[in-house]
Amino acid sequence: MVDDRALPSSLRRPIARLGSLAVVLLAWTLVPAGPSSVAAATPREPDHVWVFFRDKGPLEAGPSRELALLAREAQLPPRTLERRRRARGDRGVDGRDLPLAASYVAEVEATGATIRVQSRWLNAVSVEATPSQQAALASLAAVDRVEPVRQRHRVEEPPLQTVPPIATGGDALFGLSTAQLELIGADVLQRDCGLTGAGVVVGVQDTGFDLSHQAFAGLNVLAAHDFINDDDVVANEPGDPGAQTSHGTLVLGTLAGSDPGTFMGVAPGIDLILSKTERADAEVPAEEDYYVAGLEWIELQGADLFTASLGYSDWYGPGDFDGETAVTSIAVNAAFDNGLLVIASAGNAGPGGATIIAPADAFGSLAVGATTLGGNVTGFSSRGPTSDGRIKPDIAAPGAEVASVQLGTLAEYTTWNGTSAAAPVAAGLAALIKEARPELSAQELYDLLRDTASQATAPDNELGWGIVNGVLASGDACGCSDADRDGFIGTLCGGDDCDDENPSTHPEAEELCDGLDNNCNDSIHSAELDEDGDGVPTCAGDCDDDDPTVAPGLEEICGDGIDNDCVDGDEPCPSSEDGPLPTSGADGGDTSVEPGDTGLPPAGTGADDGSTGAEPGAADGGGDDGGCGCSTPREPSRPGLGVLLLALAARRRRRHG
């Protein structure tokens, strides 16, 4: 970075490294060119190189710096400035926002080099320059270093299989998209909560976009720019290859398309900023300088989220994927600092470890791995860790057999594979959550999506923190509050509280003698079940839960060999000389059972192992509770309520799915 953030020394490479580095369109159908094909490519003359300046010239310090910052602050759109201030906690501008020194740019042009891109964040320009011009550039006093613009030749994308535009077996609203939406909870957010991403601005950067498909009829595009041809046309133009818009159109369809009953994107109500930065033909290399230019422009326009299914790997060594070496990663970090959440494809270089690419390696990048529709990691999805040991990807989303629009048609659909497909799925979900919880900053949304994912407690380098869970991430905003305020979200909202209306029931609760699965472990101890239906389970003092004539409070029948009232055993019948026989409570004992008087052990001592650990009849008088591991919160129910207890137990069992 510039000014306050010096670029790492690993960026200081000699001009001798000029060559080509790939931008990878991260659909699995796009095959990276190997070293032999790169070597065989005809060298481009002139070359494209980065020229990094030492400072911002006259604006580096002094009164002119502050005046320039004030001017930039006034130029920024209110939405952009508000987002930045919320994220950074400062005025929203710093040295990275200062323009390049005009005198430095003039010196570069004086060498005969042609400027392609100017980057305030990098304090650099990319240029077309011959070898002699590059030497002249490197000798300028204002120039810190000259480096190649990384690029790469691509092969043609194979055609994708067209799916008939009739959804069979899918949801009546979502059609072909049902499975991919269900896996991340977006179906619930759309159908039950009415979320579409409305009011959320998403920047999408790719090869271009064909908006003629009927699923795009309702798109709201706020701004668009073509950085290749330097105009505002992001569709195919004269001179573009025929498949120029293919990749970007697939991304956009998965993200925001809408054709109710047949197909539905993840966030069909978002506002869009579209950036065309990559050529799709095999002969012309795609280059990282346009990526940087597009990202800076989209951030400036006031986007909330940014997604690009593009990545760079060639010309960077394994040690360079440390989140702050690749030019695109540096730019992503700057965007994230400004409050723009960047969702990036992890790459398709799996299944080996340490195959993550730039800018997915960036600290500010929410890197997305790919899963099947069944929720398993795909073989092609790139794995972490980064070269500095961080877990990547951050999250995962469907990236195999993902539905989208079919390019060149008005009403046909296709399926596609790759982390290119996973990134717009995740970006769409992020937009739904942003709509539901607009107060979230980029950092807070980043953390929330990771912390509510499927394996947040045990992240790894295959799926990161896991498959995103939109229902759980939406929280109170979509009816997924902690209704009983016990600190746990209900299972219907993706949480693990099996009864969110009962504060005594949650995963960390003590198991009580109430016929309920209080600790949500999918089982109720047999001592709570009242097997004989007399209204009193073993854990509440029934000394023989197989005999309905035995329970605390029942009449003691003398001489029958049974301790009917569970107090002091059976009583012999008195002789005729002793007077009339008692009708109840014959043994004279106290038949009531007070809470805490049963001697029950605390939760966790054999509570849910399925056995009582008691001998028949052993629960009376001796303080042995039969191994229930339950505590008794209240007096036992009256005989006759056993059926109700059983019904409650069945109803409250934890739901799965």
Side-chain angles (χ1 to χ4, degrees):
M1 298 180 184
V2 300
D3 289 326
D4 319 278
R5 304 184 178 197
L7 287 166
S9 59
S10 53
L11 271 178
R12 303 177 183 276
R13 295 190 179 83
I15 194 66
R17 285 197 67 181
L18 282 172
S20 62
L21 167 129
V23 55
V24 183
L25 292 180
L26 294 170
W28 181 239
T29 49
L30 297 177
V31 182
S36 59
S37 61
V38 173
T42 302
R44 287 171 57 92
E45 291 292 346
D47 296 311
H48 295 172
V49 296
W50 284 108
V51 180
F52 291 90
F53 298 122
R54 296 187 183 280
D55 52 42
K56 290 288 179 86
L59 302 181
E60 187 65 25
S64 59
R65 176 185 175 89
E66 178 58 24
L67 289 174
L69 288 174
L70 287 171
R72 187 59 169 173
E73 193 173 353
Q75 292 169 354
L76 291 176
R79 183 186 182 94
T80 304
L81 198 58
E82 179 185 357
R83 186 201 63 225
R84 287 186 175 197
R85 287 172 173 169
R86 184 192 313 167
R88 293 163 42 161
D90 59 20
R91 64 193 291 184
V93 294
D94 59 19
R96 289 169 293 185
D97 295 295
L98 295 172
L100 305 183
S103 59
Y104 294 175
V105 175
E107 290 176 6
V108 168
E109 292 177 318
T111 67
T114 302
I115 293 180
R116 288 164 49 92
V117 165
Q118 296 191 34
S119 170
R120 295 186 184 216
W121 292 351
L122 301 178
N123 194 25
V125 294
S126 68
V127 301
E128 293 183 359
T130 64
S132 62
Q133 290 168 344
Q134 293 169 35
L137 290 168
S139 69
L140 294 175
V143 172
D144 180 65
R145 66 194 181 282
V146 178
E147 290 184 0
V149 171
R150 280 78 174 186
Q151 55 184 249
R152 175 200 180 126
H153 292 276
R154 294 187 299 269
V155 298
E156 289 288 348
E157 179 181 358
L160 299 172
Q161 180 179 0
T162 300
V163 178
I166 299 175
T168 56
D171 183 273
L173 174 62
F174 307 124
L176 296 166
S177 308
T178 299
Q180 63 209 47
L181 297 180
E182 287 181 342
L183 185 61
I184 62 171
D187 60 324
V188 174
L189 299 187
Q190 285 196 33
R191 181 182 56 243
D192 299 343
C193 303
L195 298 175
T196 64
V200 180
V201 180
V202 181
V204 185
Q205 186 156 288
D206 216 285
T207 60
F209 311 92
D210 180 352
L211 304 184
S212 61
H213 197 283
Q214 67 181 22
F216 294 143
L219 287 185
N220 184 28
V221 179
L222 302 178
H225 191 74
D226 178 350
F227 285 85
I228 302 169
N229 300 305
D230 193 21
D231 58 35
D232 294 337
V233 180
V234 293
N236 268 18
E237 296 185 73
D240 285 347
Q244 175 67 37
T245 59
S246 176
H247 190 267
T249 303
L250 287 168
V251 167
L252 191 59
T254 296
L255 171 65
S258 177
D259 188 359
T262 299
F263 169 84
M264 191 65 67
V266 184
I270 57 175
D271 297 324
L272 289 158
I273 301 172
L274 304 179
S275 173
K276 176 181 173 183
T277 61
E278 314 297 340
R279 287 190 61 89
D281 50 356
E283 293 76 21
V284 179
E287 297 167 309
E288 64 185 357
D289 56 346
Y290 288 151
Y291 183 105
V292 172
L295 176 56
E296 287 194 31
W297 175 74
I298 285 175
E299 189 276 331
L300 180 65
Q301 303 303 309
D304 299 302
L305 312 173
F306 170 91
T307 185
S309 294
L310 309 166
Y312 299 78
S313 57
D314 288 4
W315 282 105
Y316 291 116
D320 293 332
F321 298 109
D322 59 1
E324 58 183 6
T325 293
V327 167
T328 52
S329 298
I330 296 169
V332 164
N333 290 337
F336 186 71
D337 286 348
N338 283 332
L340 181 64
L341 181 61
V342 176
I343 297 97
S345 300
N348 296 326
T355 50
I356 204 81
I357 63 175
D361 68 319
F363 292 96
S365 169
L366 189 67
V368 186
T371 73
T372 66
L373 294 178
N376 300 312
V377 63
T378 64
F380 58 76
S381 186
S382 287
R383 272 70 162 174
T386 60
S387 63
D388 60 327
R390 288 173 293 120
I391 291 176
K392 286 284 181 174
D394 296 285
I395 55 174
E401 298 183 277
V402 172
S404 188
V405 302
Q406 174 66 36
L407 183 69
T409 71
L410 295 178
E412 295 181 11
Y413 296 87
T414 190
T415 57
W416 61 311
N417 303 323
T419 55
S420 270
V425 171
L429 188 72
L432 298 183
I433 303 304
K434 181 67 175 176
E435 178 192 3
R437 307 179 70 171
E439 76 283 358
L440 295 177
S441 67
Q443 183 68 66
E444 290 167 339
L445 184 53
Y446 179 102
D447 292 340
L448 179 65
L449 290 171
R450 297 204 315 180
D451 292 345
T452 55
S454 62
Q455 55 183 42
T457 58
D460 59 35
N461 284 304
E462 289 191 344
L463 296 178
W465 277 250
I467 300 170
V468 287
N469 185 329
V471 179
L472 186 55
S474 69
D476 292 355
C478 190
C480 287
S481 61
D482 177 15
D484 55 15
R485 301 304 176 192
D486 59 7
F488 296 86
I489 301 293
T491 55
L492 291 178
C493 291
D496 49 9
D497 190 338
C498 53
D499 185 352
D500 204 33
E501 297 178 359
N502 184 353
S504 67
T505 300
H506 56 77
E508 296 180 7
E510 179 182 11
E511 189 66 29
L512 304 175
C513 183
D514 57 2
L516 307 179
D517 180 18
N518 302 98
N519 60 5
C520 296
N521 70 342
D522 293 324
S523 67
I524 299 175
H525 196 278
S526 59
E528 295 184 63
L529 295 180
D530 187 23
E531 300 287 358
D532 56 13
D534 59 11
V536 184
T538 300
C539 61
D542 191 337
C543 53
D544 186 352
D545 206 34
D546 291 325
D547 188 342
T549 67
V550 176
L554 293 184
E555 179 182 2
E556 181 67 34
I557 302 173
C558 67
D560 65 354
I562 300 173
D563 182 13
N564 305 94
D565 61 0
C566 292
V567 178
D568 297 333
D570 184 32
E571 291 292 323
C573 294
S575 64
S576 58
E577 292 83 3
D578 295 331
L581 297 177
T583 58
S584 65
D587 54 9
D590 183 1
T591 61
S592 65
V593 180
E594 295 293 334
D597 289 347
T598 58
L600 300 178
T605 55
D608 292 298
D609 59 1
S611 63
T612 64
E615 296 297 328
D620 61 312
D624 185 353
D625 67 334
C628 171
C630 315
S631 61
T632 308
R634 55 185 177 270
E635 294 187 14
S637 304
R638 294 178 290 105
L641 296 180
V643 175
L644 176 59
L645 280 171
L646 289 172
L648 283 172
R651 183 175 70 85
R652 309 257 186 172
R653 289 181 182 274
R654 185 178 181 181
R655 295 182 57 184
H656 290 280

